[in-house]
Amino acid sequence: MRWRAGSLAWRWVGGMGMTVEPSVDLRQRFVKSLASAYRGGVRRSVPPSMRIGELAARVGVSTHVLRAWESRYGLLTPVRSPGGYRLYGVDDERRVRDVLALREQGVSAMEACRQVLAAERAGNAATGLADADDLAASGSDGHRGDPLRTDPPLLVAQLLDAVTALDEDRAHAVLDTAFLDRSVESAIVDVLVPFFVRVGEMWELGRIGIAQEHFASSLVRRRLGALSLTWGIGTGPVAVLACPPGEFHDIILLSFGVLLGRAGWRIRYLGPDTPIVSLTSAADLVRPDAVVLASRRPSGFRAHAPALRRLAERYPLWLAGRGTTPRVLDEITAHHLGPDLVGGVAELTTAARERRRAGGEAPSATPTDSEHRS
């Protein structure tokens, strides 16, 4: 007996001359075995040559999603070019298309990736095409290892490794994992903030240079910027956020702005190195429910104490950062915003609600505040 390709279908020709139409499942398995053999030949003859942007354009999926599927599920297996770039090949493209086909059938991304990888391993084993790359990508039980974990301390460590090596692809993959597997609030509070604390410590100890510190700031600023696009929408309370003159480190303040925005606030973000006269003009223009000023050094506040006292008399002024010492708060008569960002959002929201209930009047001054303002 033998297989013969007819014009319309595969037919099985028996010794008695009878033709029997094989089952759909049998035909599919036979075709898949041929396809596996073909792919094996292609994989060995065509080296990976696509950057992630080109792969994303070919399959119609964003680079962020591709990085997430690579880091979380091991779907993609790029190689490094001599210049250090990740390069993707035809196998990577095929896996993504297979996952997309399953996604269209309602299969979750995790399950789709698992099925595609399992089918590839089974095909390689059946045709004898498994090689060192396949074995390296799989654990002892035949499952691909997951190179990223969602534990905040491990994500912070992986981010630090990526930043130290100036590895943008790897850093984005870690951030993708943090924001996909955790809430935005948790990703910011449990991953980004501790990450920046560690970056600052490592820089002070000389373990990383200015290049790495700037790279980390740029990387996270772009990610947080994508979360700030709705800051002007809605009718919620208004907050003006800034750093005083000479203060250029605003990532934590930017993170706080994202959390405020997600709580319904409308944000007017002035950013680092803001002249106090400009801050005052902006406040007079938008009449905010809160003005938040952040500095790492007490001198950032104290150098402008008279102007800040006048600002605090007109609008609720909140001071944040390591520069917010008891002496600074006493001298300027402002409110203190502690290091708990989520708690700070709740505190500002409660204060704004009480202020609006009072008809827009500034919060009642405490006895200490009255003494300073008299």
Side-chain angles (χ1 to χ4, degrees), residues 55 66 69-70 74-78 88 92-93 95-96 144:
L55 177 60
L66 291 179
W69 289 354
E70 176 184 338
L75 183 69
L76 308 179
T77 55
Y88 300 82
D92 297 306
E93 181 178 350
R95 292 189 203 105
V96 173
R144 289 180 179 241

Side-chain angles (χ1 to χ4, degrees), residues 170-372:
R170 178 67 172 175
H172 275 300
V174 179
L175 289 176
D176 289 338
T177 299
F179 279 93
L180 285 170
D181 284 357
R182 315 187 70 81
S183 67
V184 171
E185 288 76 12
S186 177
I188 290 175
V189 172
D190 298 327
V191 179
L192 290 190
V193 172
F195 164 65
F196 262 93
V197 171
R198 290 287 294 123
V199 167
E201 292 173 348
M202 291 175 69
W203 181 79
E204 291 176 355
L205 293 172
R207 294 175 58 187
I208 62 173
I210 293 178
Q212 281 84 1
E213 194 271 340
H214 286 188
F215 176 78
S217 297
S218 172
L219 184 81
V220 176
R221 188 182 301 279
R222 281 178 281 154
R223 184 58 62 100
L224 292 175
L227 299 172
S228 67
L229 300 179
T230 59
W231 275 0
I233 299 175
T235 59
V238 176
V240 174
L241 277 57
C243 294
E247 180 59 73
F248 297 93
H249 294 78
D250 68 325
I251 292 295
I252 304 300
L253 183 66
L254 182 59
S255 301
F256 184 65
V258 169
L259 298 181
L260 272 180
R262 288 178 58 81
W265 284 72
R266 289 173 289 162
I267 310 301
R268 304 296 182 263
Y269 192 79
L270 307 185
D273 194 31
T274 302
I276 301 303
V277 63
S278 299
L279 173 62
T280 302
S281 298
D284 289 338
L285 183 63
V286 302
R287 303 190 63 80
D289 298 273
V291 176
V292 179
L293 196 64
S295 176
R296 296 174 303 152
R297 299 180 300 275
S299 59
F301 298 125
R302 298 190 64 206
H304 311 281
L308 292 177
R309 275 198 302 271
R310 291 192 294 270
L311 181 63
E313 291 171 355
R314 296 155 68 181
Y315 308 102
L317 176 62
W318 300 75
L319 302 184
R322 287 182 294 177
T324 311
T325 63
R327 180 178 178 181
V328 165
L329 292 170
D330 186 59
E331 186 175 344
I332 297 176
T333 65
H335 304 281
H336 179 217
L337 192 62
D340 181 357
L341 299 187
V342 174
V345 170
E347 191 173 2
L348 258 68
T349 301
T350 299
R353 186 180 298 116
E354 292 176 352
R355 185 171 184 265
R356 290 196 171 191
R357 284 174 181 170
E361 297 293 334
S364 300
T366 63
T368 302
D369 291 339
S370 300
E371 292 174 4
H372 282 284

